Amino acid sequence: MGYLWALLGVLCIGCYMLPVRFSTTKGFSFFHIMGLGMLPVVIFRWDSLESLWAHPMWLGASILSGMLWGLGQIAANVALEEISLAKAAVYFNSNTLLNILLGLVIFHEATSLNSTLLLLMGAVLLTAGAIWVTKIPASSSKEGNLKKGIFFSLTAGFFWGVYFFPITWMRYSDAQTSIGQLDVLIGLALGGAIIGMGLPFFVKAQKAP
């Protein structure tokens, strides 16, 4: 059953950016709508917020992680205005390289020299494959400002590479058996919703004379 849930997760994560690519609502505006979509989920799981509320550090870490994810999503939405989803996804996956480095350097997750070398080799192969894919030309109708698209794709990869850091840090520094994965995910959704709901005010302030 666990494998089925994992496959479902892969399917959802692999497809959820498709509406962004085809929507006429782009960039900042699209993520505001995504924020609205996350809010009902948070309300539905209010008991998860109560569990987090009993542990303020966990609540803050979960919300911060969600906000970092939200910033990455904004960058990804803007990137898809300029380059194809296939090419942007390659740069998005720089988050995996960052995850490996954080795990090795900060959390010392490798148990031996061999496992460290294997993880580093995987990171090198991932990076090499990403560079190779970016050389494939896309249809001119699918691309705008290539440099802008790459910049925002890498920015998304950065935020998605670090957004689990606050939660992982809490697992090492203040493990709580009363807080489940779903509780943490609801905290993440709240952080993302805060970014999404607050985005229009930021954009309005930027446009103000």
Side-chain angles (χ1 to χ4, degrees):
M1 192 65 184
Y3 288 112
L4 290 176
W5 283 113
L7 288 173
L8 180 61
V10 169
L11 180 64
C12 292
I13 292 172
C15 296
Y16 90 98
M17 291 295 288
L18 285 176
V20 182
R21 182 60 182 164
F22 291 111
S23 174
T24 55
T25 303
K26 299 292 186 179
F28 293 149
S29 299
F30 196 95
F31 187 68
H32 175 58
I33 297 171
M34 292 178 72
L36 288 171
M38 286 184 283
L39 199 57
V41 178
V42 174
I43 295 173
F44 179 75
R45 286 289 308 183
W46 192 260
D47 55 332
S48 290
L49 287 182
E50 291 178 343
S51 297
L52 291 171
W53 188 266
H55 304 278
M57 292 295 291
W58 271 95
L59 176 63
S62 300
I63 292 175
L64 176 58
S65 289
M67 294 176 77
L68 290 171
W69 172 84
L71 291 172
Q73 188 64 52
I74 292 171
N77 290 0
V78 174
L80 290 179
E81 293 182 346
E82 306 297 339
I83 59 177
S84 66
L85 176 58
K87 185 168 287 188
V90 175
Y91 295 105
F92 294 161
N93 284 329
S94 60
N95 71 326
T96 304
L97 176 61
L98 192 53
N99 285 332
I100 292 173
L101 293 176
L102 285 174
L104 289 175
V105 175
I106 297 178
F107 297 113
H108 308 290
E109 293 179 343
T111 56
S112 65
L113 178 60
N114 285 340
S115 59
T116 300
L117 291 175
L118 285 172
L119 285 169
L120 289 175
M121 287 174 60
V124 169
L125 289 173
L126 176 69
T127 304
I131 293 173
W132 178 74
V133 171
T134 58
K135 302 299 182 183
I136 301 173
S139 169
S140 57
S141 63
K142 300 292 184 182
E143 300 215 334
N145 188 323
L146 182 60
K147 289 183 179 180
K148 181 180 177 182
I150 292 174
F151 171 77
F152 279 103
S153 296
L154 289 173
T155 301
F158 170 78
F159 281 117
W160 286 342
V162 300
Y163 84 89
F164 260 122
F165 182 85
I167 294 172
T168 305
W169 184 268
M170 290 304 300
R171 289 197 179 109
Y172 280 90
S173 62
D174 184 26
Q176 296 290 339
T177 57
S178 62
I179 297 176
Q181 293 290 341
L182 184 56
D183 299 328
V184 173
L185 286 173
I186 294 303
L188 279 164
L190 177 59
I194 290 172
I195 292 292
M197 300 293 289
L199 194 58
F201 299 101
F202 173 78
V203 174
K204 189 179 294 184
Q206 290 293 101
K207 290 181 178 178

